[in-house]
Amino acid sequence: MSRLGPVITLAAGAVLAAGLGVASVNVTPAANTAAGGGTVTEAPAAPEESTPPAESTEPAERNTASPERTEADDKIGKADYGGYVKGNGGLIAISIRSGKAVGYFCDGRAEAWFKGSQSGDSVSLTGVRNGKVTAALGGGKATGQLALGGRKWSFVAAAVRKPSGLYRATALVRGAQYRAGWIRLKNPDGSYTSVGAAVEGDNPVPVPKLNADEPTAPLTVDGTTIYPKDVDGFIQEMS
Amino acid sequence: MTAIHRPPARGLTPLLVPLLLGGLVVLALGVYGRAHTPTGHAVGVAGFSAALPMKAWLTTGALVLAVVQVVSALSMWGKLGIAIPPAVHRWSGRLAFLLTIPVAFHCLYALGLQYDVPRVLAHSLLGCFFYGVFTAKMLALPKRDTPGWTLPVLGGLAFTALVGLWLTSAFWFFTAVGVKV
């Protein structure tokens, strides 16, 4: 035992990783059939070797990789929407990744983050703090309603593509949790409308401007560097 | 073991194979992390709201067990004056290693090796290094003719790497995003 124990430990880790690999290949949401004007993401390439290799041999998993056989045809792989909320001067952005949806409303002072899911041609999101967003997808836009603080507004958000869309940054600034959000929309004349807000702890603080050419370029807040991320960069930490 | 042919002096030769294989593990993980297109999705441990909290808590669990590792190792080397059964060291180590596997799997399979932000760069490199040094330590463990400093150094490096991994992941997550399950 004492001779083989360490090797067994390594092998157990490799087997566990291989098991996770097999399971992941089988459930990978294939669903990159973007509807509603979203851009289609590349299908995730079948992993050449889906386990961290320890020195033991692992089963080849390539043959089991047939992403198409999940139920996920219903799910939109990637879509981004942004537009004005009627009657309150704010902007709203909704992004969908593999059926998972995040949303952000911001008028420069009030702001709210939402998360939820897409199914068929509708999305439903609930506020991280409060509120609700529902929208129907179709014709290259999201048409729906925003409920926040006991009031309701409607909006039409067109499909947008980078660098328009939703950005978010989280960081630790002076020991407090810092969170900023931005929505960028391209105007018909080619310029951009941008709105954002930031909080430190629970208190609103001035929000830095996104870099006009490269929205994900690092910014400085009180001597701390923050890294704005696009939806692909932050959807993991939101959900 | 071919101890008959080998001089009794504790040279570096017995360490060659463990270190070489450990280095290969580092390299293989790094190359895989770059070459494989991240899927953005991986199967993990159920019971958490999302992948990042799952990873943050498993890493924290591994860190706690790693502290047990250091304490029990000190005891085995007679530095504490109390005797902790060797089984404590073995099993806390095994459990810590297994706890890291779903985390590392998600990192490499779903996210890949990245270096756009200093924290992520440090985390990616430390992650590859950790499994290399752990492999080297496991392979050096049964060998009786390695230099005396082998296990403390390899174990210490593994512990240091794990602390670095925790600081650049779970600690970042709990402070910048929030403590959530």
Side-chain angles (χ1 to χ4, degrees):
Chain A
M1 181 66 193
S2 70
R3 289 261 148 153
L4 276 179
V7 176
I8 292 173
T9 302
L10 285 175
V15 167
L16 179 57
L20 288 168
V22 172
S24 294
V25 167
N26 286 334
V27 301
T28 295
N32 293 299
T33 50
T39 46
V40 182
T41 51
E42 289 175 17
E48 309 209 327
E49 184 190 8
S50 40
T51 49
E55 68 290 335
S56 66
T57 55
E58 270 134 27
E61 281 137 25
R62 192 175 308 210
N63 295 340
T64 61
S66 67
E68 270 70 27
R69 63 191 161 89
T70 50
E71 26 68 82
D73 278 358
D74 193 27
K75 291 182 182 171
I76 294 176
K78 176 173 175 167
D80 300 285
Y81 302 94
Y84 288 87
V85 178
K86 285 173 191 155
N88 77 2
L91 263 57
I92 189 162
I94 297 171
S95 285
I96 299 163
R97 297 290 182 275
S98 304
K100 215 182 253 185
V102 292
Y104 186 54
F105 163 78
C106 183
D107 64 5
R109 287 160 51 232
E111 55 133 37
W113 284 96
F114 302 87
K115 56 189 185 182
S117 60
Q118 165 266 335
S119 176
D121 56 3
S122 68
V123 280
S124 171
L125 304 100
T126 45
V128 173
R129 285 285 169 83
N130 60 52
K132 198 166 170 51
V133 171
T134 52
L137 310 175
K141 54 187 194 267
T143 312
Q145 288 205 308
L146 159 74
L148 198 60
R151 298 187 59 191
K152 255 189 172 181
W153 297 271
S154 64
F155 65 84
V156 177
V160 296
R161 60 179 60 215
K162 269 189 191 175
S164 291
L166 187 49
Y167 296 88
R168 175 181 162 108
T170 47
L172 193 65
V173 175
R174 286 184 307 219
Q177 247 169 274
Y178 176 91
R179 190 195 72 226
W182 299 267
I183 300 171
R184 278 189 108 201
L185 287 181
K186 193 172 190 174
N187 300 320
D189 65 2
S191 63
Y192 284 93
T193 298
S194 189
V195 66
V199 292
E200 210 176 283
D202 279 331
N203 307 315
V205 291
V207 66
K209 269 196 170 26
L210 287 179
N211 183 311
D213 300 320
E214 198 193 333
T216 51
L219 305 171
T220 305
V221 176
D222 289 328
T224 303
T225 307
I226 64 164
Y227 299 90
K229 294 175 183 168
D230 57 19
V231 174
D232 294 300
F234 72 72
I235 194 162
Q236 291 259 348
E237 69 188 62
M238 275 284 293
S239 43
Chain B
M1 308 307 267
T2 52
I4 318 153
H5 306 294
R6 197 167 286 162
R10 293 183 156 196
L12 289 173
T13 327
L15 268 182
L16 203 61
V17 171
L19 288 181
L20 205 64
L21 285 173
L24 281 177
V25 167
V26 178
L27 204 64
L29 292 179
V31 168
Y32 171 76
R34 277 317 287 172
H36 155 75
T37 310
T39 61
H41 168 91
V43 167
V45 177
F48 294 92
S49 61
L52 289 198
M54 181 265 293
K55 294 168 73 177
W57 287 109
L58 290 188
T59 309
T60 303
L63 183 75
V64 170
L65 289 168
V67 173
V68 174
Q69 285 279 289
V70 171
V71 173
S72 55
L74 285 173
S75 154
M76 284 193 297
W77 287 68
K79 303 283 183 194
L80 283 190
I82 50 163
I84 298 175
V88 172
H89 187 77
R90 285 194 194 128
W91 281 102
S92 62
R94 283 172 187 153
L95 197 56
F97 172 62
L98 290 184
L99 281 180
T100 67
I101 294 289
V103 181
F105 176 76
H106 185 278
C107 288
L108 281 166
Y109 183 79
L111 306 177
L113 188 138
Q114 312 262 346
Y115 44 74
D116 46 349
V117 174
R119 175 186 72 81
V120 176
L121 169 70
H123 186 80
S124 296
L125 297 182
L126 276 174
C128 298
F129 175 75
F130 172 80
Y131 285 101
V133 83
F134 183 80
T135 303
K137 199 211 155 185
M138 287 296 104
L139 296 178
L141 208 42
K143 293 187 188 292
R144 298 279 172 251
D145 48 358
T146 53
W149 47 262
T150 301
L151 297 181
V153 166
L154 291 179
L157 284 174
F159 178 74
T160 309
L162 189 67
V163 170
L165 284 167
W166 183 83
L167 285 173
T168 53
S169 60
F171 178 72
W172 165 82
F173 181 81
F174 291 143
T175 51
V177 179
V179 178
K180 56 182 176 183
V181 179

